[in-house]
């Protein structure tokens, strides 16, 4: 590496550490800073696979939905980056009060520590959904224009669709697809686009496990319901021990299904500031054993609630 390259890298790290310092106080970055951050993040994410390989140990995190102070609480429970490796399973924005700060912090950590934190795409990392459930309006309110929303939603197109921990634990936001029998089929998809209304990428973002046989119609209007037999076949074909996903509220923070062959992890405590659930994260050890850590919402005395200026984006 040349001296010029070293100076550029040092300058980048200094900028990122400054961004992180600002975000630690729940202060949004400037529009120019977000643009610089998204440009660098796009370079990093474009080099990652649709099925991104990840080493253990790693801590899996489910939906966050703009609950910034609960993300800070999560780091106090699971450990700070880069001391802990993290894999986030999507849905960083919408519904909560602080989607801008939440997604900016995660992207900033990704650029600063690209090998220590991985971020996947969820169904809310899309243009259409964020215009309905709050992120778009929040960007307009905090920046006065839609440019930051466009920067982030363009970046979302580059997020990996899934991850594979030690060739054994398959991680994604939602669920399986009848169009995808193998991990190689997922690797072959062209992901750099808006989440479509149907098809395999849509299914990965929207499908849910259920006590059904085979495939069923999803009440969400997108994706499918899939049963234990589908999970068993997919795991056997691909040599997997577990499917880890998020996407569904679990009051206890996590739920094992189908003889412990699939787990749902939920990481937004007291979801929408009204559901009363606990949250959890899942540690995958070097021996691939799983350990859950549950936590409650951040104490009221450390969180700020913005003055109400729009509709609720709740259930």
């Amino acid at each position: 590496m040349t001296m010029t390259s070293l100076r550029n890298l040092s300058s980048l790290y200094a900028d990122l550490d400054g961004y992180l310092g600002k975000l630690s106080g729940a202060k949004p970055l400037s529009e120019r800073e977000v643009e610089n951050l998204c440009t660098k993040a796009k370079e990093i994410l474009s080099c990652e696979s649709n099925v991104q390989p990840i080493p253990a140990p790693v801590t899996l995190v489910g939906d966050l939905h703009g609950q910034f102070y609960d993300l800070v609480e999560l780091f106090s429970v699971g450990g700070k980056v880069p001391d802990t490796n993290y894999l986030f399973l999507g849905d960083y924005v919408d519904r909560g009060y602080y989607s801008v700060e939440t997604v900016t912090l995660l992207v900033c950590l990704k650029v600063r520590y690209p090998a220590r934190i991985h971020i996947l795409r969820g169904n809310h990392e899309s243009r259409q959904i964020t215009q309905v459930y709050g992120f778009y309006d929040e960007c307009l309110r905090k920046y006065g224009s839609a440019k930051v929303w466009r920067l982030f939603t363009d970046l979302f197109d580059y997020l990996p669709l899934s991850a594979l921990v030690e060739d054994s634990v398959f991680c994604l936001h939602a669920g399986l697809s009848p169009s995808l029998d193998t991990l190689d089929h997922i690797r072959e998809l062209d992901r750099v686009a808006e989440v479509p209304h149907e098809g395999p990428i849509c299914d990965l973002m929207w499908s849910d496990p259920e006590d059904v046989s085979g495939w069923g119609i999803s009440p969400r209007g997108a994706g499918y319901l899939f049963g234990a037999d589908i999970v068993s076949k997919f795991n056997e074909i691909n040599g997997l021990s577990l499917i880890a996903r998020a996407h569904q509220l679990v009051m206890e923070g996590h739920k094992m299904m189908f003889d412990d062959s699939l787990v749902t992890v939920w990481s937004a405590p007291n979801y929408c500031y009204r559901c009363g659930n606990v949250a959890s994260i899942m540690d995958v050890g070097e021996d691939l054993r799983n350990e859950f850590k549950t936590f409650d919402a951040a104490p009221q005395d450390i969180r700020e609630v913005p003055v109400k200026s729009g509709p609720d984006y709740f259930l």
Side-chain angles (χ1 to χ4, degrees), residues 236-276:
E236 180 179 359
I237 289 173
N238 294 285
L240 304 173
S241 63
L242 179 68
I243 294 174
R245 42 91 67 177
H247 193 49
Q248 284 179 296
L249 170 64
V250 180
M251 294 301 292
E252 299 79 16
H254 59 87
K255 180 181 181 181
M256 300 293 298
M257 295 181 68
F258 307 150
D259 295 324
D260 294 345
S261 64
L262 180 145
V263 63
T264 298
V265 181
W266 184 265
S267 303
N270 193 29
Y271 179 44
C272 293
Y273 314 109
R274 61 173 61 180
C275 288

Side-chain angles (χ1 to χ4, degrees), residues 67-286:
Q67 297 183 200
F68 176 83
Y69 291 98
D70 297 321
L71 174 59
V72 174
E73 183 74 8
L74 184 157
F75 284 136
S76 73
V77 171
K80 295 183 178 180
V81 181
D83 300 329
T84 301
N85 290 327
Y86 281 101
L87 170 59
F88 289 82
L89 303 179
D91 278 14
Y92 316 117
V93 299
D94 287 336
R95 294 202 167 107
Y97 295 132
Y98 294 96
S99 291
V100 167
E101 292 82 356
T102 299
V103 71
T104 307
L105 176 59
L106 291 178
V107 172
C108 195
L109 288 170
K110 175 62 182 176
V111 175
R112 181 63 176 86
Y113 306 105
R116 303 291 281 174
I117 179 171
H118 291 84
I119 49 178
L120 305 183
R121 192 173 196 173
N123 62 303
H124 279 262
E125 277 69 62
S126 77
R127 294 166 184 83
Q128 182 178 13
I129 298 298
T130 53
Q131 288 184 75
V132 177
Y133 290 101
F135 183 48
Y136 177 82
D137 291 338
E138 183 182 329
C139 290
L140 285 180
R141 188 169 67 251
K142 291 179 176 177
Y143 289 97
S145 78
K147 182 175 181 179
V148 165
W149 173 80
R150 285 194 297 269
L151 288 168
F152 276 120
T153 52
D154 287 349
L155 178 65
F156 293 161
D157 291 344
Y158 290 83
L159 292 170
L161 303 175
S162 64
L164 184 62
V165 179
E166 299 290 354
D167 295 320
S168 182
V169 182
F170 179 55
C171 308
L172 74 170
H173 178 66
L176 302 179
S177 170
S179 304
L180 301 168
D181 295 326
T182 69
L183 297 183
D184 282 340
H185 290 159
I186 300 175
R187 292 184 178 103
E188 293 166 359
L189 296 171
D190 181 5
R191 75 174 189 260
V192 185
E194 171 72 335
V195 176
H197 297 289
E198 59 184 8
I201 291 179
C202 172
D203 299 341
L204 296 173
M205 301 293 123
W206 284 93
S207 294
D208 294 303
E210 187 55 86
D211 292 323
V212 298
S213 177
W215 299 97
I217 297 173
S218 173
R220 295 180 185 267
Y224 291 85
L225 301 178
F226 57 94
D229 53 338
I230 299 298
V231 171
S232 177
K233 182 178 179 181
F234 187 86
N235 286 357
E236 180 179 359
I237 289 173
N238 294 285
L240 304 173
S241 63
L242 179 68
I243 294 174
R245 42 91 67 177
H247 193 49
Q248 284 179 296
L249 170 64
V250 180
M251 294 301 292
E252 299 79 16
H254 59 87
K255 180 181 181 181
M256 300 293 298
M257 295 181 68
F258 307 150
D259 295 324
D260 294 345
S261 64
L262 180 145
V263 63
T264 298
V265 181
W266 184 265
S267 303
N270 193 29
Y271 179 44
C272 293
Y273 314 109
R274 61 173 61 180
C275 288
N277 61 288
V278 298
S280 75
I281 52 180
M282 188 178 90
D283 294 339
V284 180
E286 292 185 56

